[in-house]
Amino acid sequence: MLPYINAPFIYVANLLGAAPDELKLIFSFLLSYPLAGILKRIPDSKPWQKNAYTIFISLFYLVGLFDLWDGLRTLLYSSAGAYAIAYFIKTDLMPWIGFVFLMGHMSINHIIRQRLNEPGTVDITGAQMVLIMKLTAFCWNVYDGRQPEAELSDVQKERALKEMPDLLDYAGYVLFFPSLFAGPAFDYVDYKNYIGTTMFALPPGTDPSKAPPTRKKRKIPRSGTPAAMKAGAGLVWIFLFLQLSNYYYADFYLGPDYMKYGILRRMWQLHMMGFTARTKYYGVWALTEGACILSGIGYNGIDAATGRAKWDRLSNVVPSEIETAQNVRAYLGAWNINTNNWLRNYMYLRVTPKGKKPGFQATLAVFVTSAFWHGFFPGYYLAFVLASLLQTIAKQGRRLLRPFVFEGDGKTPTSKKPYYDVFTWFITQLAFDFTTAPFILLSLSASLTVWARVWFYCLFGVAACFGFLNSPLKPQLLSELKKRNTDAKPGLSRASSYDGTHIGGGVPDDPEKELSEIIREARAEFEKRKRRGSNGLDFKVMLQQKIDEWKRVGGKIKGDAMKVEKEL
């Protein structure tokens, strides 16, 4: 640690009643903005200077600001080990060996952190959690680069590494300072395209006059305004957290004052505990994303509608979608987005044999990975198990109940739809208030104590829902749904029967699976119509109807009908 650097943080911490390390962490997030501005001004023609600069700043953060010499060694061991495994091991087991090594190494640090139990102290586990996502993805990217392209998906082709990066580029990727401590994580190909400025090349056929404005001859578009907006939002969320945490903190819920209120007030205060905890993450992730935007790596092409640069490549959370979520899928899909992408691309899809659909094995693998990645506090596992049950209930409930707030065409909402939306929002928020409490309280005794103080309402609700799903009422609803589907136009996929698979840990639906399904259905329909002598135009109309309906209920495909027709 640099001499005297701790003194001002101790002084301010005593005034605010905060921990010095927490203030230093916020300071590092804010300092990353001017430092990212300097990074962007290093000549595009000298990427080695950008690498050297970002490595130097991260070393300053680790040992100059936090005195994390042991932490620096931890990051070095993980990074060197992953690089060596990817370089020397040529078998199909290589990425799994890398995964076991990296997760095992991090688990040791999680256990040490749990035993020390010093929540106000910044240790290396936060930075290591971000690094684990980057390095496990790196091993898979190297593995994909050694496979025939015909065996890879489009996403895997984009991120495959045909050759190992040089050590300076690799070190710059590992120690990218704007996202060092709290993310967001990203794949090596993103850093490679950023450092080489190919990320900012205009798509073929784009009018150069419509390119985002840059400064002088720099290729990185101007990003000061979106970065400032993210910084402002982050500071507002942090300020809100500091204010609310004076009223809604863990010890209050475990003390006698909490029990002075009635059950409804206690449930409201439980909601506020979760919201207060979320504001901290909203603030931290907004600040780190803003620094990434200012550096340029947050660039995500040009918005076709506005013609302006998009800066959402590394967006990690959408607070408005979480606070207004009407179902489990929407809630989890807007939270910790980059971790969700990591779990989906490098666990959920990787444990599934080629040609097979992801099933329970993939879901279980994601659950276990996400739990171990967070650590070993019992509260994490209570939250994950309950969240997985909520996902099952929500999927079944949506399929069984949502069709009844639409007309027979499955598209036109009835007068009951607004009430359904309010009800599902209320139930979703209420369920997650209960579910996320152990994630905040961490210990088993504290979690069960607070659950008991709100009468275990979510557990009883889950039991009641599973009882309903296994009761005679379910066949009656299915019979009614079948009747409604029979009355609908043939050949159309109903919104009411949408059954998208959403797996544990907040991982979004698998688009490759959904695309394969629509191709399979369309091919079967094509063969049937061909035997009947239907013309191609008739088939194309039917196909477009299927695509439009599928997209309307949440599907996303690049190229729409063109891509499907090409597959056929």
Side-chain angles (χ1 to χ4, degrees), residues 265-558:
R265 180 70 178 271
R266 294 201 298 271
M267 292 169 68
W268 163 253
Q269 289 173 322
L270 188 67
H271 170 76
M272 289 305 298
M273 179 176 74
F275 176 73
T276 300
R278 289 195 297 275
T279 58
K280 177 176 68 174
Y281 290 99
Y282 294 161
V284 167
W285 285 335
L287 288 176
T288 56
E289 184 187 348
C292 289
I293 289 173
L294 190 61
S295 72
I297 200 170
Y299 179 74
N300 197 25
I302 301 174
D303 191 318
T306 65
R308 297 180 179 178
K310 295 191 295 183
W311 295 98
D312 58 353
R313 176 182 295 273
L314 300 180
S315 179
N316 204 37
V317 67
V318 186
S320 61
E321 293 186 9
I322 292 172
E323 302 304 328
T324 61
Q326 298 174 18
N327 54 67
V328 175
R329 177 173 176 266
Y331 192 104
L332 295 177
W335 175 263
N336 211 353
I337 296 170
N338 288 290
T339 301
N340 292 340
N341 292 337
W342 169 64
L343 289 169
R344 173 168 54 87
N345 291 329
Y346 301 111
M347 181 53 60
Y348 184 63
L349 297 178
R350 301 293 181 162
V351 299
T352 304
K354 293 179 181 178
K356 301 289 185 179
K357 295 181 181 180
F360 175 74
Q361 180 185 10
T363 302
L364 182 63
V366 168
F367 168 78
V368 173
T369 300
S370 186
F372 271 78
W373 181 75
H374 280 91
F376 300 101
F377 283 104
Y380 294 149
Y381 295 85
L382 288 177
F384 275 114
V385 170
L386 186 51
S388 66
L389 297 177
L390 292 178
Q391 289 178 97
T392 300
I393 293 169
K395 182 175 69 174
Q396 295 288 332
R398 178 184 176 92
R399 183 172 62 179
L400 293 172
L401 301 178
R402 195 169 186 271
F404 294 101
V405 297
F406 286 89
E407 300 290 353
D409 60 2
K411 300 178 181 179
T412 307
T414 68
S415 59
K416 299 176 184 178
K417 179 66 161 53
Y419 300 102
Y420 173 85
D421 291 342
V422 172
F423 174 75
T424 52
W425 167 81
F426 179 77
I427 291 298
T428 299
Q429 299 299 324
L430 202 63
F432 274 101
D433 294 340
F434 186 93
T435 303
T436 56
F439 217 93
I440 302 167
L441 299 166
L442 298 180
S443 74
L444 179 63
S445 60
S447 300
L448 294 179
T449 296
V450 171
W451 275 4
R453 290 183 167 191
V454 290
W455 301 353
F456 295 102
Y457 70 83
C458 191
L459 297 185
F460 285 113
V462 167
C465 289
F466 275 108
F468 168 79
L469 293 174
N470 291 279
S471 73
L473 292 175
K474 181 179 178 180
Q476 294 179 22
L477 285 175
L478 289 173
S479 176
E480 181 64 24
L481 282 176
K482 184 177 181 180
K483 179 181 177 183
R484 292 167 63 91
N485 288 340
T486 302
D487 295 338
K489 294 180 180 180
L492 291 180
S493 175
R494 296 292 304 267
S496 60
S497 62
Y498 171 63
D499 188 20
T501 301
H502 186 77
I503 61 178
V507 181
D509 294 340
D510 176 15
E512 294 178 80
K513 172 187 171 183
E514 295 174 356
L515 180 58
S516 298
E517 281 294 308
I518 198 171
I519 291 172
R520 182 185 61 80
E521 293 178 6
R523 182 181 286 114
E525 184 69 19
F526 174 78
E527 293 297 331
K528 183 170 68 175
R529 293 184 179 224
K530 184 178 179 181
R531 288 192 297 270
R532 291 204 312 252
S534 297
N535 57 39
L537 180 61
D538 181 32
F539 170 71
K540 287 185 177 180
V541 171
M542 181 279 301
L543 179 59
Q544 190 60 54
Q545 288 175 336
K546 276 183 171 289
I547 292 171
D548 291 342
E549 181 69 13
W550 183 75
K551 288 172 65 180
R552 189 181 67 77
V553 298
K556 294 180 180 179
I557 336 173
K558 294 180 180 178

Side-chain angles (χ1 to χ4, degrees), residues 167-301:
L167 292 179
L168 185 60
D169 283 350
Y170 182 72
Y173 168 64
V174 166
L175 296 175
F176 188 68
F177 70 86
S179 63
L180 178 65
F181 288 112
F186 46 87
D187 288 353
Y188 177 79
V189 69
D190 292 325
Y191 184 76
K192 179 182 178 181
N193 292 339
Y194 163 72
I195 213 75
T197 70
T198 56
M199 175 184 289
F200 311 104
L202 292 177
T206 303
D207 186 352
S209 64
K210 296 182 180 180
T214 60
R215 191 174 183 86
K216 297 181 179 179
K217 295 183 178 181
R218 191 182 306 136
K219 295 181 181 179
I220 303 177
R222 293 184 179 182
S223 56
T225 299
M229 292 176 64
K230 281 291 180 181
L235 290 174
V236 169
W237 285 118
I238 293 295
F239 175 78
L240 187 59
F241 168 74
L242 293 175
Q243 298 302 309
L244 293 176
S245 59
N246 293 323
Y247 303 96
Y248 306 104
Y249 50 93
D251 289 343
F252 167 73
Y253 295 86
L254 299 171
D257 290 342
Y258 183 52
M259 294 303 293
K260 293 179 180 179
Y261 302 102
I263 181 62
L264 295 180
R265 180 70 178 271
R266 294 201 298 271
M267 292 169 68
W268 163 253
Q269 289 173 322
L270 188 67
H271 170 76
M272 289 305 298
M273 179 176 74
F275 176 73
T276 300
R278 289 195 297 275
T279 58
K280 177 176 68 174
Y281 290 99
Y282 294 161
V284 167
W285 285 335
L287 288 176
T288 56
E289 184 187 348
C292 289
I293 289 173
L294 190 61
S295 72
I297 200 170
Y299 179 74
N300 197 25

Side-chain angles (χ1 to χ4, degrees), residues 106-117 123 125:
M106 186 175 64
S107 296
I108 295 173
N109 284 333
H110 273 316
I111 293 171
I112 294 172
R113 176 174 68 97
Q114 188 169 336
R115 292 182 61 184
L116 293 175
N117 194 24
D123 64 1
T125 53

